[in-house]
PDB file of all heavy atoms in Angstrom:
ATOM      1  N   ARG I  14       7.810  13.011  20.520  1.00  0.00           N
ATOM      2  CA  ARG I  14       8.959  13.915  20.760  1.00  0.00           C
ATOM      3  C   ARG I  14       8.527  15.354  21.124  1.00  0.00           C
ATOM      4  O   ARG I  14       7.456  15.729  20.689  1.00  0.00           O
ATOM      5  CB  ARG I  14       9.853  13.902  19.534  1.00  0.00           C
ATOM      6  CG  ARG I  14      10.549  12.589  19.370  1.00  0.00           C
ATOM      7  CD  ARG I  14      11.713  12.566  18.536  1.00  0.00           C
ATOM      8  NE  ARG I  14      12.494  11.418  18.398  1.00  0.00           N
ATOM      9  CZ  ARG I  14      12.065  10.171  18.438  1.00  0.00           C
ATOM     10  NH1 ARG I  14      10.857   9.812  18.591  1.00  0.00           N
ATOM     11  NH2 ARG I  14      12.888   9.104  18.243  1.00  0.00           N
ATOM     12  N   LEU I  15       9.293  16.043  21.891  1.00  0.00           N
ATOM     13  CA  LEU I  15       9.056  17.324  22.261  1.00  0.00           C
ATOM     14  C   LEU I  15       9.163  18.281  21.046  1.00  0.00           C
ATOM     15  O   LEU I  15      10.179  18.367  20.439  1.00  0.00           O
ATOM     16  CB  LEU I  15      10.022  17.744  23.410  1.00  0.00           C
ATOM     17  CG  LEU I  15       9.882  19.066  24.072  1.00  0.00           C
ATOM     18  CD1 LEU I  15       8.481  19.207  24.778  1.00  0.00           C
ATOM     19  CD2 LEU I  15      11.057  19.388  25.050  1.00  0.00           C
ATOM     20  N   PRO I  16       8.112  18.995  20.684  1.00  0.00           N
ATOM     21  CA  PRO I  16       8.169  19.868  19.491  1.00  0.00           C
ATOM     22  C   PRO I  16       9.225  20.905  19.632  1.00  0.00           C
ATOM     23  O   PRO I  16       9.311  21.557  20.605  1.00  0.00           O
ATOM     24  CB  PRO I  16       6.794  20.521  19.442  1.00  0.00           C
ATOM     25  CG  PRO I  16       5.840  19.626  20.348  1.00  0.00           C
ATOM     26  CD  PRO I  16       6.788  18.956  21.363  1.00  0.00           C
ATOM     27  N   GLY I  17      10.047  21.038  18.602  1.00  0.00           N
ATOM     28  CA  GLY I  17      11.015  22.089  18.527  1.00  0.00           C
ATOM     29  C   GLY I  17      12.315  21.707  19.218  1.00  0.00           C
ATOM     30  O   GLY I  17      13.299  22.448  19.125  1.00  0.00           O
ATOM     31  N   TYR I  18      12.391  20.589  19.911  1.00  0.00           N
ATOM     32  CA  TYR I  18      13.585  20.295  20.783  1.00  0.00           C
ATOM     33  C   TYR I  18      14.527  19.590  19.701  1.00  0.00           C
ATOM     34  O   TYR I  18      14.260  18.695  18.918  1.00  0.00           O
ATOM     35  CB  TYR I  18      13.256  19.307  21.824  1.00  0.00           C
ATOM     36  CG  TYR I  18      14.451  19.019  22.782  1.00  0.00           C
ATOM     37  CD1 TYR I  18      14.708  19.862  23.802  1.00  0.00           C
ATOM     38  CD2 TYR I  18      15.210  17.844  22.605  1.00  0.00           C
ATOM     39  CE1 TYR I  18      15.795  19.612  24.588  1.00  0.00           C
ATOM     40  CE2 TYR I  18      16.293  17.619  23.319  1.00  0.00           C
ATOM     41  CZ  TYR I  18      16.586  18.455  24.328  1.00  0.00           C
ATOM     42  OH  TYR I  18      17.643  18.312  25.217  1.00  0.00           O
ATOM     43  N   ASP I  19      15.805  19.934  19.854  1.00  0.00           N
ATOM     44  CA  ASP I  19      16.864  19.350  19.100  1.00  0.00           C
ATOM     45  C   ASP I  19      17.479  18.084  19.664  1.00  0.00           C
ATOM     46  O   ASP I  19      18.245  18.213  20.635  1.00  0.00           O
ATOM     47  CB  ASP I  19      18.008  20.303  18.806  1.00  0.00           C
ATOM     48  CG  ASP I  19      19.115  19.835  17.900  1.00  0.00           C
ATOM     49  OD1 ASP I  19      19.016  18.657  17.535  1.00  0.00           O
ATOM     50  OD2 ASP I  19      20.164  20.559  17.760  1.00  0.00           O
ATOM     51  N   TYR I  20      17.054  16.921  19.212  1.00  0.00           N
ATOM     52  CA  TYR I  20      17.437  15.674  19.907  1.00  0.00           C
ATOM     53  C   TYR I  20      18.908  15.196  19.520  1.00  0.00           C
ATOM     54  O   TYR I  20      19.245  14.166  19.790  1.00  0.00           O
ATOM     55  CB  TYR I  20      16.420  14.531  19.582  1.00  0.00           C
ATOM     56  CG  TYR I  20      15.226  14.673  20.427  1.00  0.00           C
ATOM     57  CD1 TYR I  20      14.152  15.433  20.022  1.00  0.00           C
ATOM     58  CD2 TYR I  20      15.098  13.927  21.668  1.00  0.00           C
ATOM     59  CE1 TYR I  20      12.967  15.534  20.828  1.00  0.00           C
ATOM     60  CE2 TYR I  20      14.032  14.047  22.405  1.00  0.00           C
ATOM     61  CZ  TYR I  20      12.881  14.831  21.906  1.00  0.00           C
ATOM     62  OH  TYR I  20      11.797  14.926  22.729  1.00  0.00           O
ATOM     63  N   THR I  21      19.647  16.163  18.848  1.00  0.00           N
ATOM     64  CA  THR I  21      21.063  15.831  18.701  1.00  0.00           C
ATOM     65  C   THR I  21      21.888  16.648  19.663  1.00  0.00           C
ATOM     66  O   THR I  21      23.144  16.348  19.748  1.00  0.00           O
ATOM     67  CB  THR I  21      21.561  16.343  17.253  1.00  0.00           C
ATOM     68  OG1 THR I  21      21.375  17.759  17.188  1.00  0.00           O
ATOM     69  CG2 THR I  21      20.770  15.543  16.149  1.00  0.00           C
ATOM     70  N   GLN I  22      21.320  17.503  20.504  1.00  0.00           N
ATOM     71  CA  GLN I  22      22.076  18.248  21.420  1.00  0.00           C
ATOM     72  C   GLN I  22      22.553  17.402  22.669  1.00  0.00           C
ATOM     73  O   GLN I  22      21.906  16.477  22.945  1.00  0.00           O
ATOM     74  CB  GLN I  22      21.334  19.514  21.846  1.00  0.00           C
ATOM     75  CG  GLN I  22      20.140  19.271  22.755  1.00  0.00           C
ATOM     76  CD  GLN I  22      19.500  20.636  23.127  1.00  0.00           C
ATOM     77  OE1 GLN I  22      20.223  21.705  23.299  1.00  0.00           O
ATOM     78  NE2 GLN I  22      18.139  20.604  23.114  1.00  0.00           N
ATOM     79  N   PRO I  23      23.695  17.826  23.252  1.00  0.00           N
ATOM     80  CA  PRO I  23      24.176  17.047  24.391  1.00  0.00           C
ATOM     81  C   PRO I  23      23.223  17.009  25.516  1.00  0.00           C
ATOM     82  O   PRO I  23      22.463  17.873  25.757  1.00  0.00           O
ATOM     83  CB  PRO I  23      25.384  17.873  24.810  1.00  0.00           C
ATOM     84  CG  PRO I  23      25.850  18.569  23.547  1.00  0.00           C
ATOM     85  CD  PRO I  23      24.503  18.944  22.810  1.00  0.00           C
ATOM     86  N   GLY I  24      23.145  15.911  26.158  1.00  0.00           N
ATOM     87  CA  GLY I  24      22.303  15.643  27.296  1.00  0.00           C
ATOM     88  C   GLY I  24      22.116  14.128  27.551  1.00  0.00           C
ATOM     89  O   GLY I  24      22.672  13.349  26.837  1.00  0.00           O
ATOM     90  N   ALA I  25      21.352  13.953  28.522  1.00  0.00           N
ATOM     91  CA  ALA I  25      21.013  12.591  28.991  1.00  0.00           C
ATOM     92  C   ALA I  25      19.536  12.221  28.594  1.00  0.00           C
ATOM     93  O   ALA I  25      18.704  13.072  28.846  1.00  0.00           O
ATOM     94  CB  ALA I  25      21.233  12.343  30.457  1.00  0.00           C
ATOM     95  N   TYR I  26      19.330  11.103  27.947  1.00  0.00           N
ATOM     96  CA  TYR I  26      18.031  10.707  27.535  1.00  0.00           C
ATOM     97  C   TYR I  26      17.643   9.314  28.079  1.00  0.00           C
ATOM     98  O   TYR I  26      18.432   8.317  27.797  1.00  0.00           O
ATOM     99  CB  TYR I  26      17.951  10.662  25.970  1.00  0.00           C
ATOM    100  CG  TYR I  26      18.339  12.000  25.347  1.00  0.00           C
ATOM    101  CD1 TYR I  26      19.658  12.316  25.072  1.00  0.00           C
ATOM    102  CD2 TYR I  26      17.364  12.879  25.005  1.00  0.00           C
ATOM    103  CE1 TYR I  26      20.062  13.603  24.532  1.00  0.00           C
ATOM    104  CE2 TYR I  26      17.622  14.175  24.386  1.00  0.00           C
ATOM    105  CZ  TYR I  26      18.960  14.459  24.219  1.00  0.00           C
ATOM    106  OH  TYR I  26      19.308  15.662  23.632  1.00  0.00           O
ATOM    107  N   PHE I  27      16.530   9.154  28.675  1.00  0.00           N
ATOM    108  CA  PHE I  27      16.080   7.914  29.146  1.00  0.00           C
ATOM    109  C   PHE I  27      15.179   7.234  28.148  1.00  0.00           C
ATOM    110  O   PHE I  27      14.349   7.829  27.565  1.00  0.00           O
ATOM    111  CB  PHE I  27      15.332   8.085  30.475  1.00  0.00           C
ATOM    112  CG  PHE I  27      14.563   6.909  30.947  1.00  0.00           C
ATOM    113  CD1 PHE I  27      15.190   5.642  31.178  1.00  0.00           C
ATOM    114  CD2 PHE I  27      13.241   6.862  31.364  1.00  0.00           C
ATOM    115  CE1 PHE I  27      14.717   4.475  31.729  1.00  0.00           C
ATOM    116  CE2 PHE I  27      12.663   5.719  31.794  1.00  0.00           C
ATOM    117  CZ  PHE I  27      13.333   4.507  31.962  1.00  0.00           C
ATOM    118  N   ILE I  28      15.637   6.084  27.687  1.00  0.00           N
ATOM    119  CA  ILE I  28      15.000   5.377  26.602  1.00  0.00           C
ATOM    120  C   ILE I  28      14.328   4.056  27.091  1.00  0.00           C
ATOM    121  O   ILE I  28      14.914   3.313  27.848  1.00  0.00           O
ATOM    122  CB  ILE I  28      16.089   4.937  25.584  1.00  0.00           C
ATOM    123  CG1 ILE I  28      16.921   6.162  25.169  1.00  0.00           C
ATOM    124  CG2 ILE I  28      15.386   4.196  24.334  1.00  0.00           C
ATOM    125  CD1 ILE I  28      16.074   7.269  24.509  1.00  0.00           C
ATOM    126  N   THR I  29      13.113   3.720  26.556  1.00  0.00           N
ATOM    127  CA  THR I  29      12.476   2.455  26.762  1.00  0.00           C
ATOM    128  C   THR I  29      11.996   2.007  25.369  1.00  0.00           C
ATOM    129  O   THR I  29      11.420   2.667  24.641  1.00  0.00           O
ATOM    130  CB  THR I  29      11.209   2.531  27.669  1.00  0.00           C
ATOM    131  OG1 THR I  29      11.698   2.957  28.926  1.00  0.00           O
ATOM    132  CG2 THR I  29      10.622   1.250  27.759  1.00  0.00           C
ATOM    133  N   ILE I  30      12.365   0.729  25.086  1.00  0.00           N
ATOM    134  CA  ILE I  30      12.030   0.128  23.811  1.00  0.00           C
ATOM    135  C   ILE I  30      11.410  -1.266  24.118  1.00  0.00           C
ATOM    136  O   ILE I  30      11.911  -2.075  24.882  1.00  0.00           O
ATOM    137  CB  ILE I  30      13.385  -0.134  22.917  1.00  0.00           C
ATOM    138  CG1 ILE I  30      14.225   1.070  22.909  1.00  0.00           C
ATOM    139  CG2 ILE I  30      12.879  -0.660  21.528  1.00  0.00           C
ATOM    140  CD1 ILE I  30      15.642   0.838  22.248  1.00  0.00           C
ATOM    141  N   VAL I  31      10.233  -1.456  23.552  1.00  0.00           N
ATOM    142  CA  VAL I  31       9.504  -2.721  23.805  1.00  0.00           C
ATOM    143  C   VAL I  31       9.394  -3.551  22.687  1.00  0.00           C
ATOM    144  O   VAL I  31       9.308  -3.076  21.503  1.00  0.00           O
ATOM    145  CB  VAL I  31       8.014  -2.199  24.282  1.00  0.00           C
ATOM    146  CG1 VAL I  31       7.169  -3.465  24.523  1.00  0.00           C
ATOM    147  CG2 VAL I  31       8.030  -1.283  25.360  1.00  0.00           C
ATOM    148  N   THR I  32       9.444  -4.919  22.863  1.00  0.00           N
ATOM    149  CA  THR I  32       9.345  -5.917  21.720  1.00  0.00           C
ATOM    150  C   THR I  32       7.983  -5.915  21.071  1.00  0.00           C
ATOM    151  O   THR I  32       6.955  -5.469  21.710  1.00  0.00           O
ATOM    152  CB  THR I  32       9.630  -7.271  22.341  1.00  0.00           C
ATOM    153  OG1 THR I  32       8.668  -7.638  23.199  1.00  0.00           O
ATOM    154  CG2 THR I  32      10.997  -7.415  22.862  1.00  0.00           C
ATOM    155  N   TYR I  33       7.948  -6.407  19.932  1.00  0.00           N
ATOM    156  CA  TYR I  33       6.682  -6.469  19.150  1.00  0.00           C
ATOM    157  C   TYR I  33       5.681  -7.336  19.876  1.00  0.00           C
ATOM    158  O   TYR I  33       6.009  -8.510  20.346  1.00  0.00           O
ATOM    159  CB  TYR I  33       7.005  -7.053  17.757  1.00  0.00           C
ATOM    160  CG  TYR I  33       5.797  -7.182  16.932  1.00  0.00           C
ATOM    161  CD1 TYR I  33       5.363  -6.028  16.353  1.00  0.00           C
ATOM    162  CD2 TYR I  33       5.207  -8.353  16.547  1.00  0.00           C
ATOM    163  CE1 TYR I  33       4.235  -6.014  15.400  1.00  0.00           C
ATOM    164  CE2 TYR I  33       4.121  -8.403  15.784  1.00  0.00           C
ATOM    165  CZ  TYR I  33       3.678  -7.273  15.148  1.00  0.00           C
ATOM    166  OH  TYR I  33       2.606  -7.289  14.304  1.00  0.00           O
ATOM    167  N   ASN I  34       4.473  -6.826  20.152  1.00  0.00           N
ATOM    168  CA  ASN I  34       3.445  -7.574  20.865  1.00  0.00           C
ATOM    169  C   ASN I  34       3.829  -7.939  22.192  1.00  0.00           C
ATOM    170  O   ASN I  34       3.326  -8.867  22.897  1.00  0.00           O
ATOM    171  CB  ASN I  34       2.856  -8.808  20.100  1.00  0.00           C
ATOM    172  CG  ASN I  34       2.078  -8.383  18.864  1.00  0.00           C
ATOM    173  OD1 ASN I  34       1.566  -7.284  18.812  1.00  0.00           O
ATOM    174  ND2 ASN I  34       2.056  -9.225  17.956  1.00  0.00           N
ATOM    175  N   ARG I  35       4.946  -7.154  22.765  1.00  0.00           N
ATOM    176  CA  ARG I  35       5.404  -7.525  24.177  1.00  0.00           C
ATOM    177  C   ARG I  35       5.839  -8.931  24.396  1.00  0.00           C
ATOM    178  O   ARG I  35       5.705  -9.419  25.542  1.00  0.00           O
ATOM    179  CB  ARG I  35       4.350  -7.052  25.129  1.00  0.00           C
ATOM    180  CG  ARG I  35       4.168  -5.488  25.227  1.00  0.00           C
ATOM    181  CD  ARG I  35       3.104  -5.070  26.145  1.00  0.00           C
ATOM    182  NE  ARG I  35       3.101  -3.613  26.459  1.00  0.00           N
ATOM    183  CZ  ARG I  35       2.827  -2.646  25.642  1.00  0.00           C
ATOM    184  NH1 ARG I  35       2.519  -2.881  24.345  1.00  0.00           N
ATOM    185  NH2 ARG I  35       2.839  -1.398  25.989  1.00  0.00           N
ATOM    186  N   MET I  36       6.228  -9.525  23.352  1.00  0.00           N
ATOM    187  CA  MET I  36       6.664 -10.921  23.438  1.00  0.00           C
ATOM    188  C   MET I  36       7.942 -11.027  24.318  1.00  0.00           C
ATOM    189  O   MET I  36       8.964 -10.246  24.034  1.00  0.00           O
ATOM    190  CB  MET I  36       6.994 -11.574  22.046  1.00  0.00           C
ATOM    191  CG  MET I  36       5.717 -11.729  21.289  1.00  0.00           C
ATOM    192  SD  MET I  36       4.444 -12.915  22.018  1.00  0.00           S
ATOM    193  CE  MET I  36       5.448 -14.357  21.983  1.00  0.00           C
ATOM    194  N   PRO I  37       8.051 -11.941  25.287  1.00  0.00           N
ATOM    195  CA  PRO I  37       9.254 -12.037  26.161  1.00  0.00           C
ATOM    196  C   PRO I  37      10.248 -12.801  25.283  1.00  0.00           C
ATOM    197  O   PRO I  37      10.450 -14.006  25.378  1.00  0.00           O
ATOM    198  CB  PRO I  37       8.781 -12.806  27.310  1.00  0.00           C
ATOM    199  CG  PRO I  37       7.526 -13.544  26.880  1.00  0.00           C
ATOM    200  CD  PRO I  37       6.976 -12.729  25.756  1.00  0.00           C
ATOM    201  N   LEU I  38      11.159 -12.079  24.507  1.00  0.00           N
ATOM    202  CA  LEU I  38      12.127 -12.686  23.747  1.00  0.00           C
ATOM    203  C   LEU I  38      13.635 -12.779  24.270  1.00  0.00           C
ATOM    204  O   LEU I  38      14.385 -13.478  23.729  1.00  0.00           O
ATOM    205  CB  LEU I  38      12.252 -11.803  22.332  1.00  0.00           C
ATOM    206  CG  LEU I  38      11.091 -11.715  21.458  1.00  0.00           C
ATOM    207  CD1 LEU I  38      11.392 -10.821  20.283  1.00  0.00           C
ATOM    208  CD2 LEU I  38      10.718 -13.143  20.980  1.00  0.00           C
ATOM    209  N   PHE I  39      13.852 -12.027  25.316  1.00  0.00           N
ATOM    210  CA  PHE I  39      15.182 -11.867  25.653  1.00  0.00           C
ATOM    211  C   PHE I  39      15.757 -12.678  26.942  1.00  0.00           C
ATOM    212  O   PHE I  39      16.880 -12.576  27.333  1.00  0.00           O
ATOM    213  CB  PHE I  39      15.540 -10.397  25.946  1.00  0.00           C
ATOM    214  CG  PHE I  39      15.229  -9.477  24.815  1.00  0.00           C
ATOM    215  CD1 PHE I  39      14.498  -8.384  25.035  1.00  0.00           C
ATOM    216  CD2 PHE I  39      15.439  -9.864  23.461  1.00  0.00           C
ATOM    217  CE1 PHE I  39      14.209  -7.488  23.901  1.00  0.00           C
ATOM    218  CE2 PHE I  39      15.122  -9.103  22.409  1.00  0.00           C
ATOM    219  CZ  PHE I  39      14.437  -7.917  22.657  1.00  0.00           C
ATOM    220  N   GLY I  40      14.887 -13.532  27.410  1.00  0.00           N
ATOM    221  CA  GLY I  40      15.230 -14.282  28.653  1.00  0.00           C
ATOM    222  C   GLY I  40      14.184 -14.224  29.613  1.00  0.00           C
ATOM    223  O   GLY I  40      13.020 -14.026  29.295  1.00  0.00           O
ATOM    224  N   GLU I  41      14.536 -14.516  30.930  1.00  0.00           N
ATOM    225  CA  GLU I  41      13.539 -14.525  31.958  1.00  0.00           C
ATOM    226  C   GLU I  41      14.187 -14.013  33.257  1.00  0.00           C
ATOM    227  O   GLU I  41      15.279 -13.900  33.442  1.00  0.00           O
ATOM    228  CB  GLU I  41      13.150 -16.024  32.181  1.00  0.00           C
ATOM    229  CG  GLU I  41      14.167 -16.907  32.591  1.00  0.00           C
ATOM    230  CD  GLU I  41      13.683 -18.359  32.724  1.00  0.00           C
ATOM    231  OE1 GLU I  41      12.500 -18.549  32.805  1.00  0.00           O
ATOM    232  OE2 GLU I  41      14.510 -19.248  32.732  1.00  0.00           O
ATOM    233  N   ILE I  42      13.199 -13.579  34.111  1.00  0.00           N
ATOM    234  CA  ILE I  42      13.628 -13.161  35.487  1.00  0.00           C
ATOM    235  C   ILE I  42      13.547 -14.401  36.448  1.00  0.00           C
ATOM    236  O   ILE I  42      12.543 -15.053  36.528  1.00  0.00           O
ATOM    237  CB  ILE I  42      12.677 -12.067  35.974  1.00  0.00           C
ATOM    238  CG1 ILE I  42      12.543 -10.891  35.045  1.00  0.00           C
ATOM    239  CG2 ILE I  42      13.075 -11.659  37.370  1.00  0.00           C
ATOM    240  CD1 ILE I  42      13.848  -9.983  34.949  1.00  0.00           C
ATOM    241  N   VAL I  43      14.644 -14.633  37.072  1.00  0.00           N
ATOM    242  CA  VAL I  43      14.704 -15.648  38.054  1.00  0.00           C
ATOM    243  C   VAL I  43      15.316 -15.035  39.356  1.00  0.00           C
ATOM    244  O   VAL I  43      16.327 -14.568  39.419  1.00  0.00           O
ATOM    245  CB  VAL I  43      15.637 -16.847  37.633  1.00  0.00           C
ATOM    246  CG1 VAL I  43      15.738 -17.831  38.644  1.00  0.00           C
ATOM    247  CG2 VAL I  43      15.159 -17.368  36.292  1.00  0.00           C
ATOM    248  N   ASP I  44      14.524 -15.270  40.459  1.00  0.00           N
ATOM    249  CA  ASP I  44      14.847 -14.681  41.722  1.00  0.00           C
ATOM    250  C   ASP I  44      15.296 -13.210  41.685  1.00  0.00           C
ATOM    251  O   ASP I  44      16.277 -12.885  42.303  1.00  0.00           O
ATOM    252  CB  ASP I  44      15.947 -15.541  42.394  1.00  0.00           C
ATOM    253  CG  ASP I  44      15.461 -16.998  42.686  1.00  0.00           C
ATOM    254  OD1 ASP I  44      14.362 -17.189  43.027  1.00  0.00           O
ATOM    255  OD2 ASP I  44      16.372 -17.877  42.582  1.00  0.00           O
ATOM    256  N   GLY I  45      14.464 -12.485  40.904  1.00  0.00           N
ATOM    257  CA  GLY I  45      14.783 -11.013  40.890  1.00  0.00           C
ATOM    258  C   GLY I  45      15.901 -10.586  39.960  1.00  0.00           C
ATOM    259  O   GLY I  45      16.331  -9.414  39.950  1.00  0.00           O
ATOM    260  N   GLU I  46      16.541 -11.495  39.217  1.00  0.00           N
ATOM    261  CA  GLU I  46      17.584 -11.213  38.357  1.00  0.00           C
ATOM    262  C   GLU I  46      17.247 -11.651  36.982  1.00  0.00           C
ATOM    263  O   GLU I  46      16.736 -12.676  36.655  1.00  0.00           O
ATOM    264  CB  GLU I  46      18.865 -11.963  38.783  1.00  0.00           C
ATOM    265  CG  GLU I  46      19.460 -11.509  40.039  1.00  0.00           C
ATOM    266  CD  GLU I  46      20.860 -12.145  40.323  1.00  0.00           C
ATOM    267  OE1 GLU I  46      21.453 -12.611  39.460  1.00  0.00           O
ATOM    268  OE2 GLU I  46      21.221 -12.131  41.493  1.00  0.00           O
ATOM    269  N   MET I  47      17.717 -10.839  35.965  1.00  0.00           N
ATOM    270  CA  MET I  47      17.457 -11.072  34.507  1.00  0.00           C
ATOM    271  C   MET I  47      18.467 -12.018  34.030  1.00  0.00           C
ATOM    272  O   MET I  47      19.735 -11.925  34.200  1.00  0.00           O
ATOM    273  CB  MET I  47      17.556  -9.788  33.732  1.00  0.00           C
ATOM    274  CG  MET I  47      17.320  -9.967  32.267  1.00  0.00           C
ATOM    275  SD  MET I  47      15.658 -10.604  31.910  1.00  0.00           S
ATOM    276  CE  MET I  47      15.784 -11.068  30.188  1.00  0.00           C
TER     277      MET I  47
END
Side-chain angles (χ1 to χ4, degrees):
R14 297 200 170 32
L15 185 62
Y18 187 83
D19 179 3
Y20 282 87
T21 64
Q22 70 179 319
Y26 301 86
F27 173 51
I28 308 295
T29 299
I30 313 168
V31 180
T32 61
Y33 185 73
N34 288 336
R35 291 177 165 67
M36 293 296 299
L38 296 176
F39 305 137
E41 62 183 342
I42 304 289
V43 177
D44 297 326
E46 290 187 22
M47 180 63 192

